[in-house]
Amino acid sequence: MPESGVSRAQHIHTPDTTPGTTTAPRGGTGLPTPAARRTGLLVTLVLGGLTALPPLSMDMYLPALPAVTDSLHAPAATVQLTLTACLTGMALGQVVVGPMSDRWGRRRPLMFGMAVYVLATALCIFAPSAGLLIAFRLVQGLAGAAGIVIARAVVRDMYDGVAMARFFSTLMLISGVAPVIAPVIGGQVLRLTDWRGIFAVLTVVGLLLTFVVWKWLGETLPPAERHTGGIGDALRTMRGLLADRVFTGYMIAGSLAFAALFAYVSASPFVIQEIYGASPQTFSLLFGINSIGLIAVGQINGKLLVGRVSLDKALTCGLVVIVAAAVSLLLMTSGVFGDVGLVPVAAGLFVLMSAMGLAMPNTNAQALMRTKHAAGSASALLGTSQFLIGAIASPLVGIAGEETAVPMAVVQLVCAAGALACFLCLCRPWQRPSAI
């Protein structure tokens, strides 16, 4: 059983004056020193930046989707594949990077992935066709996967139990800023230039984050704790993780909840702008408000609920609210209540997004608490499942064209109901009363 509520951050991985190296003061049971607290804050900011990069890469680009369809003379369904390609890359990349980080440590795979991410993002600036843009976005996703999977593995290296759940909620606060500001930045960039300028901004962001990682994020997996096996050993480790019914339940539940969220991410530019006639700036504002709701609920989860209410109870509440919001969206978009307009639909989306603040951090924390022996591989499975299911959901939201929001609501409801069913049937929280 993990050391519930115990943080190991003060015992390990305080960077020295040489970039990329760490010292590991051992012993002592007192409070963290001021230097340790500063180091913990710095690591939190770096990990927050790594987890913020994927939503930044996605959401800054969202206001430009209609413009990309015009610029590249491609249908909306094809342009939406640029999102699908990036998600698919992030999913597949994690399968590779996770086991690599268990074998070679967290730092080297992360630095390589960041370098490739910067190159792929720069190539997106010059994409002459939708096909090449899809290809470059696939590579961008493959490389960007390193930041996602390794950030989660580093958290597992440093924390256990309640402390880990709280840290995930803190990361949600930091990474959640990206969805708030990214569409706003994207909308403003479109005022000055075209969609290619958005990828130029992302290239600069990638360069800065690569430097920050190189300078301040040390190694968190000691050589003695690394796996020495090859691909076969990695596959056996993943198979053992998947054989754990409870881990698999949390993984699938979190992935389906993420797919409901990404159905909104993928469809909302067309739903809000094309169907309801909002401007890119209005869309950016609504998207930011929804992201603020997610952040706020995530902080309520981390600061108020964790340690007082079991993670499973908070997770159940979040999934039930997501299902209820998806039902209301389906009723509104299908015309049951007549032409409801933008405001009620935006309110339903706000509730759905906000409830993700209970679902996402708690599924990750509960799953990773069972996998201390293989945090990288477990993180890879969590991320791969999330992004693959999200990539499947993305094109489905546009299956009926750009004139209706019903497919978005249907996908959200199916995914949300599936997440709740998997959680109840596989995790069976009532059978584990001692779980935090």
Side-chain angles (χ1 to χ4, degrees):
M1 183 69 183
E3 311 161 65
S4 297
V6 178
S7 167
R8 302 196 299 275
Q10 69 201 65
H11 300 304
I12 60 173
H13 321 309
T14 304
D16 64 14
T17 56
T18 304
T21 62
T22 60
T23 60
R26 302 287 179 179
T29 58
L31 294 173
T33 65
R37 285 195 294 268
R38 288 194 297 271
T39 299
L41 176 61
L42 186 58
V43 170
T44 301
L45 293 174
V46 174
L47 295 180
L50 291 173
T51 55
L53 192 59
L56 195 66
S57 302
M58 292 287 182
D59 301 340
M60 191 183 296
Y61 174 65
L62 291 179
L65 284 178
V68 175
T69 62
D70 296 334
S71 174
L72 299 181
H73 308 291
T78 300
V79 172
Q80 282 177 325
L81 288 177
T82 62
L83 295 175
T84 302
C86 191
L87 269 181
T88 303
M90 289 179 182
L92 298 178
Q94 290 182 70
V95 175
V96 177
V97 176
M100 285 174 59
S101 74
D102 281 340
R103 183 176 183 184
W104 290 306
R106 314 303 185 198
R107 184 174 166 80
R108 283 190 291 171
L110 178 57
M111 289 302 303
F112 178 77
M114 292 301 300
V116 176
Y117 172 88
V118 170
L119 177 61
T121 305
L123 289 174
C124 289
I125 301 172
F126 307 102
S129 66
L132 281 176
L133 182 59
I134 290 170
F136 295 151
R137 290 280 279 174
L138 177 64
V139 177
Q140 184 190 42
L142 287 167
I148 309 168
V149 67
I150 291 178
R152 273 197 302 262
V154 168
V155 173
R156 186 62 187 95
D157 292 340
M158 297 174 66
Y159 292 95
D160 276 321
V162 169
M164 182 168 59
R166 286 179 174 151
F167 196 91
F168 274 123
S169 292
T170 301
L171 282 187
M172 180 166 287
L173 171 62
I174 299 171
S175 63
V177 173
V180 173
I181 65 172
V184 177
I185 295 173
Q188 296 308 311
V189 170
L190 290 176
R191 286 178 174 269
L192 303 175
T193 181
D194 61 7
W195 60 270
R196 299 178 190 274
I198 293 175
F199 286 108
V201 174
L202 286 172
T203 301
V204 174
V205 171
L207 283 170
L208 291 175
L209 187 55
T210 301
F211 172 77
V212 168
V213 169
W214 171 79
K215 182 73 174 177
W216 284 295
L217 184 63
E219 182 58 65
T220 62
L221 186 66
E225 297 181 16
R226 298 176 188 175
H227 294 189
T228 58
I231 295 177
D233 183 66
L235 293 176
R236 283 190 293 272
T237 299
M238 289 186 174
R239 184 176 62 189
L241 291 171
L242 292 174
D244 180 345
R245 170 179 52 79
V246 178
F247 171 84
T248 301
Y250 285 121
M251 180 187 74
I252 298 176
S255 299
L256 288 171
F258 179 83
L261 183 151
F262 198 76
Y264 158 74
V265 171
S266 180
S268 59
F270 297 98
V271 170
I272 302 299
Q273 296 180 78
E274 301 296 329
I275 297 177
Y276 291 99
S279 67
Q281 288 70 38
T282 300
F283 163 73
S284 300
L285 176 63
L286 292 175
F287 199 94
I289 291 172
N290 290 343
S291 299
I292 290 172
L294 187 152
I295 294 169
V297 175
Q299 292 315 293
I300 291 172
N301 177 72
K303 305 299 183 184
L304 299 179
L305 299 183
V306 171
R308 296 179 176 88
V309 178
S310 76
L311 299 188
D312 283 333
K313 288 181 179 178
L315 175 56
T316 302
C317 178
L319 292 176
V320 169
V321 172
I322 293 171
V323 171
V327 170
S328 68
L329 284 167
L330 180 58
L331 294 176
M332 287 188 288
T333 57
S334 60
V336 171
F337 303 125
D339 186 6
V340 297
L342 175 60
V343 173
V345 172
L349 291 172
F350 174 79
V351 173
L352 184 144
M353 282 284 286
S354 297
M356 294 292 173
L358 292 176
M360 300 308 297
N362 290 331
T363 51
N364 284 334
Q366 288 286 63
L368 286 172
M369 266 189 278
R370 304 179 64 84
T371 60
K372 180 179 179 180
H373 61 289
S377 296
S379 178
L381 287 174
L382 289 172
T384 297
S385 176
Q386 287 178 3
F387 284 101
L388 277 180
I389 295 177
I392 294 171
S394 174
L396 295 178
V397 299
I399 197 168
E402 303 174 33
E403 311 302 325
T404 175
V406 171
M408 177 192 73
V410 169
V411 171
Q412 288 174 330
L413 179 55
V414 170
C415 291
L420 181 59
C422 285
F423 169 61
L424 294 177
C425 294
L426 296 179
C427 300
R428 302 173 190 172
W430 60 86
Q431 294 182 351
R432 296 177 298 111
S434 61
I436 64 171

